[in-house]
Amino acid sequence: MAIHNNLLALGVLAFIGLNYLILKIYRHRSHVNRLRKQGVCITPGWSWVTGHLLVFARYARKFPRDITMAIVMNEMCLEFPKTETFIVDLWPFMNVAIMTYNAEAGLLVTSKYNLPKSPTTLDTVKAIAGGPNILTMNGSDWKYWRSLLNPGFSAASLVDHTSFIVDSVNVFCRALEEKAEKGIILLDDYAVKLTFDVIMKVVMDADINYQTSDHPFALALANTEAAPSVFEARKFNPLRPIREWYNGYKMQNFVTKSVKKRFEEMKLERLVSSNKKRTSQAKSVVGMTLDSYFNEMSSKQSLEGVELAPGFLNVVAYQTRMFLLAGNDTTSSTIVFIYNTIARNPEVAAQLRQEHETVFGPDVSTIGAQLKAKPALLNDCRYTLAVIKETLRLYPPVAINMRAGLPNVSIPTLDGDKVPTEGCSVMVQPYAMQINPRIWVRPKEFLPERWLVSSDHELYPPPNAYRPFDIGPRACIGQQLTLNEMRIVVIMTMRRFDIKPAYDEFDELARKNLGLLGKLKRGIVGEGIKTFDGDRAYQTVKTGTHPSDSYPCRIELLKG
Ligand code: HEM
């Protein structure tokens, strides 16, 4: 009898669940259908049951399995040259999405209307950041944090960072030197460690030396997947939430401990100096945050027994974790793609070396000291900056800017229609926009000179169509820092090393080392597609953006 009752209860629950699901699907698809009937431009092949999921899967089959979603989206974009804005329905993976790669529409979304960040943004980064943070917040919360942290990224503060960036790049160079002429290395691993050392210093004022020894936070971060590609099975791994919880716990633990320690140090400094305005440690993200915490306390309040409020400590930890994510893989993957584009364009390498010799002279060993003494020398390397900008045009590491639609806000299409945004996610596609053949001349070619020509030249970049850092009030706070860091890396390595991709050798080795199961699988499904646009190095996602297979390469030492 008891079993019978339990089965009945289960049956009723399943029935309610199924009806709820059907109702949800119906509501969602009706929204798309309404837009369709209004004549809004929509990707062909939509169905009431699967939306565009099967269409998307068909597009995805043309690419390597691990490629970023943005490249697949770009392929969809190519179908809409007349509107440059269209609807895609990938529910339940995402809300009804308005995709746009139109420069003017993108500007409206992120500047004029400055649409709010979509709740999906927090879902995507929650495993890493732990909770709401500057990237995901809206309204007054966001304003508070942005104005608090902006000064730490001002030109004057960035000059202060030059010295430790140079030191970190020196460690990077020593690591490459050790591996030079010795076999294949995975360059991405080295670049990630370098950028992690730098971002830890900027955010927490911590010298963690991840380039020379392991670090628990970095390992936990690397093991957490922010947003695996939509079509990857690992997204559905039932163990994933447990692993994410464990890594999140380790990250939160490390950050809160460090913040508490810093809080006590700053408190002591204020007590000793009785200067309640600013302490010497207020330059890092954590330092600035704690400084404002002290400053907001009533001046009469004694510092002696003051503790950090647990709620505030948590928010600081979320912000810190977000910064460590935002500043790491974005920069490291761009560094690797810079080397890749240089390897594919030898004339670019020659021009870079020529520029560095002109600015810093023939003795490569003095570059670090020169940069420390005069950080403004970076500005004399205009071609270097052009190479970095052009790499970011073709390989933008943040491949989608997602916002939430609002009532009464519509996005114009190129042919003059309007797409109502209410209830939709609005997704600006920087990659598709940055290679849009309607507005860019020779869009797929790597041409650093675009960034050096005058405005009447045909190669001159079209307005508002270059947005690797986003455009508008929510644009990347770290963009000048990362451009400085990347310039220092290129300047300090170009005349010491020649870096060549070694995918052929790597793939051959992988084929030889295949186990029985691997061979069987290859026999059945084949090797799969391994290149994009003829290049074996393409963008994949793991935590953030990374080059495929971590970029196997060989390092050659240059005499000089
Ligand atoms: C090549 C390197 C980088 C690229 C391409 C990049 C790109 C971007 C983009 C596109 C956004 C807007 C994201 C969105 O709308 O969802 C953004 C925001 C942000 N970035 Fe970066 N970023 C880079 C490096 C950095 C670094 C080094 C830091 C840290 C110092 C950083 C910190 C942030 C933060 C905190 C935000 C949120 C800003 C806000 O909403 O107010 N980024 N970045």
Side-chain angles (χ1 to χ4, degrees):
M1 190 61 181
I3 292 178
H4 181 257
N5 282 347
N6 285 345
L7 282 177
L8 190 71
L10 271 179
V12 171
L13 275 179
F15 181 74
I16 295 172
L18 190 67
N19 276 297
Y20 175 72
L21 189 69
I22 291 173
L23 189 72
K24 248 190 132 172
I25 296 180
Y26 177 76
R27 278 215 187 118
H28 177 87
R29 303 275 189 246
S30 301
H31 180 189
V32 181
N33 199 39
R34 269 197 311 279
L35 291 169
R36 219 160 59 116
K37 284 194 172 153
Q38 285 168 26
V40 170
C41 192
I42 180 164
T43 309
W46 180 80
S47 109
W48 272 90
V49 181
T50 53
H52 286 118
L53 289 176
L54 299 180
V55 180
F56 190 80
R58 260 203 314 277
Y59 277 103
R61 274 204 289 274
K62 298 185 198 166
F63 297 95
R65 283 186 63 78
D66 54 350
I67 205 160
T68 57
M69 195 174 148
I71 309 269
V72 184
M73 298 286 186
N74 175 61
E75 191 74 5
M76 280 187 155
C77 290
L78 296 178
E79 308 258 341
F80 295 94
K82 289 207 177 85
T83 58
E84 297 185 357
T85 300
F86 57 98
I87 300 271
V88 178
D89 175 9
L90 295 178
W91 192 85
F93 294 97
M94 59 176 73
N95 201 7
V96 181
I98 301 170
M99 304 272 171
T100 186
Y101 69 107
N102 178 273
E104 285 69 39
L107 193 66
L108 288 178
V109 171
T110 60
S111 274
K112 181 173 175 200
Y113 303 136
N114 188 18
L115 292 178
K117 289 292 177 91
S118 147
T120 319
T121 314
L122 179 57
D123 295 345
T124 319
V125 298
K126 196 162 181 190
I128 306 258
N133 54 73
I134 185 170
L135 184 91
T136 66
M137 286 170 165
N138 284 310
S140 53
D141 285 348
W142 169 77
K143 259 196 192 130
Y144 169 82
W145 283 99
R146 182 80 192 215
S147 46
L148 175 70
L149 298 174
N150 267 339
F153 295 89
S154 67
S157 303
L158 293 179
V159 166
D160 291 346
H161 293 328
T162 309
S163 183
F164 72 76
I165 296 179
V166 165
D167 290 340
S168 300
V169 178
N170 262 329
V171 180
F172 177 69
C173 289
R174 277 202 295 280
L176 294 193
E177 237 159 46
E178 267 173 33
K179 297 291 171 187
E181 329 274 351
K182 288 207 181 109
I184 294 178
I185 67 158
L186 301 179
L187 187 61
D188 188 48
D189 295 350
Y190 291 78
V192 166
K193 290 185 172 190
L194 161 66
T195 55
F196 200 73
D197 273 351
V198 172
I199 197 69
M200 267 288 188
K201 185 81 180 163
V202 173
V203 176
M204 302 184 76
D205 196 15
D207 296 296
I208 62 157
N209 305 320
Y210 184 38
Q211 294 190 86
T212 48
S213 57
D214 277 345
H215 191 272
F217 184 97
L219 293 177
L221 180 66
N223 285 328
T224 309
E225 287 148 20
S229 282
V230 256
F231 21 88
E232 279 181 285
R234 61 192 166 128
K235 186 170 179 131
F236 304 102
N237 183 346
L239 294 179
R240 197 174 153 219
I242 303 171
R243 217 178 46 213
E244 273 176 7
W245 174 85
Y246 178 63
N247 287 322
Y249 167 78
K250 283 208 289 195
M251 288 190 269
Q252 188 76 358
N253 204 19
F254 169 78
V255 173
T256 47
K257 262 195 198 153
S258 314
V259 173
K260 278 185 189 161
K261 185 166 166 269
R262 183 56 39 94
F263 177 77
E264 291 305 326
E265 286 165 5
M266 289 172 76
K267 190 164 86 180
L268 193 67
E269 194 181 328
R270 281 174 172 245
L271 279 169
V272 171
S273 68
S274 59
N275 165 16
K276 291 209 165 185
K277 278 284 156 239
R278 195 175 160 84
T279 58
S280 60
Q281 306 198 31
K283 281 179 187 158
S284 68
V285 168
V286 169
M288 283 185 288
T289 308
L290 293 179
D291 227 38
S292 87
Y293 186 79
F294 284 118
N295 289 342
E296 275 171 23
M297 288 184 331
S298 130
S299 53
K300 288 195 193 106
Q301 202 172 347
S302 158
L303 283 178
E304 294 279 2
V306 165
E307 297 290 334
L308 256 181
F312 187 76
L313 178 62
N314 271 341
V315 182
V316 179
Y318 301 152
Q319 301 292 9
T320 307
R321 286 168 62 179
M322 182 64 238
F323 265 89
L324 295 177
L325 167 72
N328 196 28
D329 294 352
T330 45
T331 310
S332 60
S333 67
T334 309
I335 289 172
V336 176
F337 282 112
I338 292 170
Y339 291 126
N340 188 50
T341 43
I342 290 172
R344 288 163 67 89
N345 298 277
E347 70 290 352
V348 172
Q351 282 205 56
L352 280 171
R353 289 181 180 127
Q354 182 58 57
E355 176 172 90
H356 300 164
E357 181 148 1
T358 309
V359 176
F360 296 95
D363 187 354
V364 177
S365 68
T366 65
I367 296 179
Q370 290 191 58
L371 280 170
K372 282 185 183 185
K374 199 176 167 199
L377 282 173
L378 284 182
N379 301 331
D380 295 345
C381 299
R382 293 180 62 228
Y383 188 73
T384 307
L385 184 61
V387 167
I388 294 169
K389 283 187 169 174
E390 186 69 345
T391 305
L392 283 166
R393 185 179 71 83
L394 293 173
Y395 302 92
V398 180
I400 293 170
N401 304 145
M402 192 184 313
R403 299 295 176 97
L406 288 179
N408 305 321
V409 174
S410 297
I411 304 296
T413 63
L414 183 62
D415 60 354
D417 268 352
K418 291 207 156 147
V419 186
T421 65
E422 183 173 8
C424 300
S425 294
V426 184
M427 296 168 83
V428 182
Q429 302 282 329
Y431 177 58
M433 195 184 292
Q434 290 170 183
I435 55 165
N436 182 351
R438 183 178 64 81
I439 49 177
W440 291 87
V441 175
R442 297 158 68 191
K444 289 267 189 149
E445 288 176 52
F446 184 77
L447 298 171
E449 47 275 34
R450 292 181 202 282
W451 304 101
L452 300 169
V453 294
S454 56
S455 57
D456 54 353
H457 195 284
E458 60 156 10
L459 281 178
Y460 191 77
N464 308 315
Y466 179 72
R467 43 185 310 144
F469 296 108
D470 205 344
I471 296 179
R474 303 296 299 256
C476 178
I477 198 172
Q479 62 178 291
Q480 204 47 52
L481 167 75
T482 191
L483 288 173
N484 286 0
E485 182 178 353
M486 291 190 283
R487 276 184 287 185
I488 295 173
V489 172
V490 176
I491 291 166
M492 289 181 66
T493 53
M494 264 325 282
R495 285 188 291 159
R496 290 171 82 168
F497 307 104
D498 200 17
I499 299 175
K500 289 269 163 16
Y503 279 101
D504 287 348
E505 277 178 80
F506 176 84
D507 287 341
E508 192 49 44
L509 215 65
R511 248 174 249 128
K512 273 193 196 141
N513 293 337
L514 263 187
L516 195 63
L517 265 180
K519 281 186 183 145
L520 204 67
K521 189 173 160 206
R522 201 184 62 188
I524 298 167
V525 294
E527 276 217 341
I529 298 167
K530 288 201 151 215
T531 56
F532 167 60
D533 264 358
D535 194 354
R536 181 66 177 78
Y538 52 84
Q539 290 177 306
T540 67
V541 186
K542 184 183 167 261
T543 315
T545 301
H546 290 264
S548 43
D549 293 304
S550 302
Y551 202 75
C553 65
R554 282 184 176 273
I555 315 274
E556 204 185 295
L557 276 180
L558 296 174
K559 313 276 174 282

